[in-house]
Amino acid sequence: MPSPNRIRRFLTRAALVLFAVLSAGCSEPSVAARLRYVRAGVEELLDADAPAVPVREVALPHRRERILTVEDHTIGPFDFLATIGCRLSEVVATRNAPLGRVLRPTRRLAHEFEVIEAIESCLPTLGEERAARLATILAAKQEALPRHVWNALWLDEELERFLSSGPAALIGGRDPGDGARQLRVTASAIGARDIDALEDAFEQLRDDPAAGPRFRDAAAVTRELEQIAALVRAVPTDRCSAAGRQLVRIFTERFVPVRGQVADLDRDAQRLAEGVQAAFEASGTAQASDAMNAYRIAIAGEGDDPGIAGALRGAIVGHARAWSGVLGVCEAIPGAA
């Protein structure tokens, strides 16, 4: 009588086959689903379960965990009157107007850049006492500027949609496949203090498929590859056994057809992770919340943590090495892996 584990694996395999058949009628199964089919075949052949491997969490934190509060440093009425005649009075008047009191983060950053520049140009025209008070405000605004930079980037609604799971817009954007590049553009725009370029980069993200599902795919595929590799490494490779020949068949019939999708996912994950890392480097991380720091490390890595793209690349290499033994001894090494 078959063991309970063998029965369970048979039922799992049947469910995966049914899933693949049903998926073919509506949409193509995911890369992770196709790799689960590979793993199910190896588990059934070897009558062994793959070791448990956790999936990396890569969800963008909630807005309340991304926002940085900033104290509003205002210029008193008497000091404001003293600035009439220099550009600072115009900048302050615009900010105090009804439309200027509620600014989206990118516009608020642009305003802060203007205020700092205006104060610096206005200081030489003031008396000693008023100049000292304004210099104090200038120092406070310069200290708070990194927080405005952070908010301008990480509170943007288009970036939030792109890094989570929101659907792409039907209008807006010139290239629906340039999301990773636009992330790097945002970093360059912040470095150049070019708010127009920053807002344009956000607008270009509208028609790009969300990166969140792509990161989750990378995490799921990493786990599947690691589990398959652990199973295959346990197979003796001193000779080409019957089990080895059957493994070659599973590799050829089940894994080779999905290999191109794995390569595409690896490429996308690398580009997207590099874009997110560039955004973090441009906005700084010293004052980020624990949740945002955890998100940064999950995506870009730090220390011994390779990040989502590095983990996937490592899993691909480990998977190839695990198969090389049985493929080599059975003289089935593919020409171009």
Side-chain angles (χ1 to χ4, degrees), residues 16 42 45 55 65 94-95 101 107 113 117 130-131 133 141 147 156 162-163 186 216 237 264 284 292 294 320 330:
L16 287 169
V42 177
L45 172 64
V55 177
E65 295 176 305
T94 301
R95 177 75 170 90
R101 292 173 185 171
R107 288 293 99 194
F113 284 150
E117 292 173 0
R130 285 202 170 101
R133 288 198 297 268
K141 286 192 168 292
R147 301 173 77 86
D156 183 80
F162 178 70
L163 292 180
T186 63
R216 288 194 293 274
T237 56
D264 290 343
M292 282 300 287
C330 291

Side-chain angles (χ1 to χ4, degrees), residues 16-251:
L16 287 169
V17 173
L18 179 61
F19 171 77
V21 171
L22 294 176
S23 297
C26 53
S27 62
E28 187 175 354
S30 68
V31 186
R34 297 182 69 179
L35 288 177
R36 282 195 291 273
Y37 184 49
V38 177
R39 173 166 58 84
V42 177
E43 287 179 327
E44 183 185 15
L45 172 64
L46 302 180
D47 192 20
D49 291 328
V53 177
V55 177
R56 179 182 295 264
E57 296 293 333
V58 289
L60 180 70
H62 192 275
R63 184 182 180 88
R64 65 175 175 271
E65 295 176 305
R66 301 196 311 271
I67 189 171
L68 293 180
T69 58
V70 187
E71 183 180 353
D72 198 2
H73 301 280
T74 59
I75 297 176
F78 293 107
D79 290 327
F80 171 74
L81 291 175
T83 64
I84 292 177
C86 66
R87 182 167 169 268
L88 178 60
S89 62
E90 300 174 8
V91 175
V92 172
T94 301
R95 177 75 170 90
N96 289 336
L99 292 178
R101 292 173 185 171
V102 180
L103 298 173
R104 66 180 187 271
T106 51
R107 288 293 99 194
R108 178 62 189 273
L109 176 60
H111 169 77
E112 293 301 318
F113 284 150
E114 283 188 304
V115 169
I116 289 174
E117 292 173 0
I119 291 178
E120 290 173 339
S121 64
C122 193
L123 280 175
T125 68
L126 300 177
E128 183 177 348
E129 184 178 349
R130 285 202 170 101
R133 288 198 297 268
L134 204 57
T136 301
I137 294 176
L138 173 62
K141 286 192 168 292
Q142 289 173 329
E143 184 180 0
L145 190 60
R147 301 173 77 86
H148 288 292
V149 169
W150 173 276
N151 287 341
L153 183 66
W154 296 109
L155 298 185
D156 183 80
E157 293 180 355
E158 295 298 340
L159 182 67
E160 179 181 28
R161 193 281 310 171
F162 178 70
L163 292 180
S164 52
S165 303
L170 298 178
I171 58 174
R174 295 182 289 268
D175 181 352
D178 67 345
R181 185 175 68 83
Q182 294 301 335
L183 289 177
R184 295 192 296 273
V185 171
T186 63
S188 299
I190 286 177
R193 294 193 172 190
D194 189 340
I195 304 303
D196 290 337
L198 177 63
E199 292 177 337
D200 181 69
F202 287 146
E203 183 177 343
Q204 297 312 310
L205 290 174
R206 290 179 182 175
D207 60 345
D208 286 87
R214 207 60 174 154
F215 283 137
R216 288 194 293 274
D217 286 346
V221 166
T222 298
R223 179 178 65 175
E224 293 298 330
L225 291 174
E226 290 176 346
Q227 289 181 306
I228 295 169
L231 288 166
V232 175
R233 275 195 296 267
V235 177
T237 56
D238 55 330
R239 62 185 180 86
C240 185
S241 62
R245 287 190 293 272
Q246 292 182 67
L247 278 174
V248 170
R249 180 167 56 83
I250 291 173
F251 181 88

